[in-house]
Amino acid sequence: MSPKPDVSEERKEQITEAATKVFAEQGFDKARMDDIATEANLSKGTLYLYFKSKDAIIKHLLDKLFEREFADLQSLTDDPRPASEKLITFSETMITEMQTWTRLIPIMYEFLGRLFRQSVVQKAFKKYMRFYLDLITPVIQQGIDEGEFKAGNAEDVAITIGAIFEGTILLWVYDSEMIDLEKHLSSGMKLLMDGLKA
Amino acid sequence: MSPKPDVSEERKEQITEAATKVFAEQGFDKARMDDIATEANLSKGTLYLYFKSKDAIIKHLLDKLFEREFADLQSLTDDPRPASEKLITFSETMITEMQTWTRLIPIMYEFLGRLFRQSVVQKAFKKYMRFYLDLITPVIQQGIDEGEFKAGNAEDVAITIGAIFEGTILLWVYDSEMIDLEKHLSSGMKLLMDGLKA
DNA sequence: TCCTTATAACTGACCAGTCAGTCAGTTGTT
DNA sequence: AACAACTGACTGACTGGTCAGTTATAAGGA
């Protein structure tokens, strides 16, 4: 038995939370390890007990964000309803999910902008895209097969849907006065589905 | 009269070009002023004769990019054709224009990701969005008024078009194997216009 | 209950590398 | 001679990461 309880999970959580706050306020560049340490009520040295480097903290944050987005969508696969209804559910789920971590989205974009050169990040993104397309493409295909949607390439449609989501978020990140995230995601999705109908 | 011809425009151009190349290869952070100087066949000191700082070079680059995208689209305003044709022209112009500076798009995104916190950049982006919406919204409205498009909020539609463009580009930046920029921009635009038709 | 001890947890001064920006000096042209 | 153009060694500020030393706590013994 060790003379002290293992606090490493607790500390990692504590550091991650502090890092999120500091990164959100200062951006990745300006944020110093000392800032994160102060925010976490720890010393800089302690940070290095739990994370190998600054980049490791950033990567950990990314993983958590992706993981979170994956989780709520899996259910769609076995849903027996018509394609159009499933797409609406998908869209609503995404919008709701998004609202819960609004504050983190800008960080995510900064992160992607900063690290897209790194293959780790590119791989994570590709994996995310693959997951998304494998989820949505079959739904579109189902719609086409059942005569609900007009004929066409299902994956191209899925990509356009993805683009509408990513694009609306991007516009919103830069101009949140002009863009109402929920409203414009809905109206974009609706417009697209009108175009899909047979 | 000065004893030598003024070379400052030439130098600025030379430095901008070198900086573009270095930034594209290394990213903004890793790129050192010495790298840019070497690439431009100048010394670091000379860089500072023509640009106040590294940030000034980056800002100059951004200005050039925005300027370039603005230029080719102005003509649309006085175009007498039906809305749907104008939208197609718009889309084709954007795609063509994009192809000429493909190499710079990732820089642009890195730039936006990095600096969205800075009000100068946010203002530039808002100005760009305003320009874009003021160009496209009236075209949509025209289509609605002339009965070509179904009724709805013209600006919302314009925003969705913008989102499709920005989103497709974003996906392409991260996964250029999966996304064919020209093909997916076209198919997205087509899908949306089908949804628009009255 | 108190003391000893092992060791996990933690600290923060320090190191080493980096790099934007400066400036005293050089070059070349008129 | 005059002056614009240019150079590159140097400086100063910064910060990610290290590590020798300190503190706190549980376990075991008296």
Side-chain angles (χ1 to χ4, degrees):
Chain A
M1 198 83 221
S2 74
K4 281 197 178 186
D6 184 6
V7 292
S8 71
E9 275 315 306
E10 189 188 331
R11 287 286 171 282
K12 275 195 176 178
E13 183 56 36
Q14 187 177 347
I15 292 168
T16 305
E17 201 159 316
T20 304
K21 189 172 173 195
V22 174
F23 285 147
E25 275 165 10
Q26 317 229 37
F28 288 109
D29 264 352
K30 275 194 72 189
R32 287 169 302 133
M33 292 300 270
D34 273 319
D35 296 332
I36 298 172
T38 305
E39 180 65 37
N41 280 112
L42 292 168
S43 73
K44 187 162 68 157
T46 304
L47 262 43
Y48 285 90
L49 294 178
Y50 301 101
F51 290 97
K52 219 175 99 272
S53 63
K54 187 179 184 181
D55 273 0
I57 296 181
I58 295 175
K59 179 164 186 319
H60 182 72
L61 248 172
L62 182 78
D63 286 344
K64 273 188 70 181
L65 284 181
F66 273 134
E67 189 185 305
R68 209 162 163 180
E69 195 163 348
F70 281 149
D72 276 356
L73 290 171
Q74 276 298 5
S75 62
L76 221 63
T77 312
D78 304 320
D79 195 316
R81 292 174 300 154
S84 59
E85 284 181 33
K86 280 159 85 168
L87 277 190
I88 290 169
T89 303
F90 163 79
S91 166
E92 281 168 356
T93 308
M94 285 288 281
I95 290 171
T96 309
E97 173 63 16
M98 225 157 260
Q99 242 121 33
T100 69
W101 45 280
T102 302
R103 203 173 57 93
L104 295 183
I105 296 178
I107 303 187
M108 185 99 172
Y109 272 80
E110 183 184 6
F111 187 89
L112 289 175
R114 181 188 151 118
L115 297 184
F116 74 91
R117 241 167 274 279
Q118 297 187 10
S119 64
V120 198
V121 179
Q122 294 216 341
K123 270 181 201 147
F125 191 86
K126 282 180 186 180
K127 193 177 140 200
Y128 168 68
M129 271 301 284
R130 207 55 269 168
F131 169 85
Y132 161 76
L133 288 177
D134 288 348
L135 188 74
I136 295 303
T137 308
V139 177
I140 309 287
Q141 191 61 55
Q142 175 200 341
I144 294 171
D145 292 344
E146 292 174 358
E148 200 181 1
F149 297 155
K150 68 174 62 143
N153 182 310
E155 182 158 297
D156 287 354
V157 176
I159 285 173
T160 299
I161 293 175
I164 288 178
F165 270 85
E166 294 298 326
T168 305
I169 294 170
L170 186 73
L171 297 183
W172 169 81
V173 166
Y174 281 94
D175 195 343
S176 51
E177 286 164 30
M178 178 171 298
I179 308 295
D180 177 325
L181 197 50
E182 184 172 352
K183 179 185 146 199
H184 286 111
L185 282 175
S186 305
S187 75
M189 197 63 190
K190 189 171 173 310
L191 219 50
L192 185 106
M193 286 186 62
D194 286 349
L196 262 184
K197 291 220 177 76
Chain B
M1 202 84 226
S2 74
K4 281 197 178 184
D6 184 6
V7 292
S8 72
E9 273 315 306
E10 189 188 332
R11 286 286 171 283
K12 276 193 177 178
E13 181 56 38
Q14 188 178 348
I15 292 167
T16 305
E17 201 159 316
T20 304
K21 189 172 172 193
V22 174
F23 285 147
E25 277 165 9
Q26 317 227 37
F28 287 110
D29 260 355
K30 276 194 70 188
R32 288 169 300 134
M33 291 301 268
D34 273 318
D35 296 332
I36 298 172
T38 304
E39 181 65 38
N41 279 112
L42 292 168
S43 72
K44 186 161 69 157
T46 304
L47 261 44
Y48 283 90
L49 294 178
Y50 300 101
F51 288 97
K52 218 175 99 273
S53 64
K54 188 180 184 180
D55 273 359
I57 296 180
I58 295 175
K59 180 163 187 319
H60 182 72
L61 246 171
L62 182 78
D63 286 344
K64 273 189 71 181
L65 284 181
F66 273 135
E67 190 185 304
R68 206 163 163 182
E69 194 162 352
F70 282 150
D72 276 356
L73 291 171
Q74 275 298 4
S75 62
L76 221 63
T77 313
D78 305 319
D79 195 317
R81 292 175 299 155
S84 60
E85 286 182 31
K86 281 159 86 169
L87 276 191
I88 290 168
T89 303
F90 163 78
S91 166
E92 282 168 355
T93 308
M94 287 288 281
I95 290 170
T96 309
E97 172 64 15
M98 226 157 257
Q99 242 120 34
T100 70
W101 45 281
T102 301
R103 205 171 55 95
L104 295 183
I105 296 177
I107 303 187
M108 186 98 172
Y109 272 79
E110 184 185 6
F111 187 90
L112 289 176
R114 169 132 340 163
L115 298 185
F116 75 91
R117 238 169 279 279
Q118 297 188 9
S119 63
V120 198
V121 178
Q122 293 215 342
K123 271 181 200 148
F125 191 86
K126 282 182 186 179
K127 194 177 137 197
Y128 168 70
M129 271 300 284
R130 208 55 267 169
F131 169 84
Y132 160 78
L133 288 177
D134 289 347
L135 189 73
I136 295 303
T137 309
V139 177
I140 310 287
Q141 191 60 55
Q142 174 201 341
I144 295 171
D145 292 344
E146 290 174 359
E148 202 180 359
F149 297 155
K150 68 174 63 141
N153 183 311
E155 184 158 294
D156 286 354
V157 176
I159 285 174
T160 299
I161 294 176
I164 288 179
F165 269 85
E166 295 298 328
T168 306
I169 295 170
L170 186 73
L171 297 183
W172 169 81
V173 166
Y174 282 94
D175 195 341
S176 50
E177 286 164 31
M178 178 172 296
I179 307 293
D180 177 326
L181 196 51
E182 183 173 352
K183 179 184 146 200
H184 286 111
L185 281 175
S186 305
S187 74
M189 196 66 190
K190 188 169 172 312
L191 219 51
L192 185 105
M193 285 185 61
D194 286 349
L196 262 183
K197 291 221 178 78

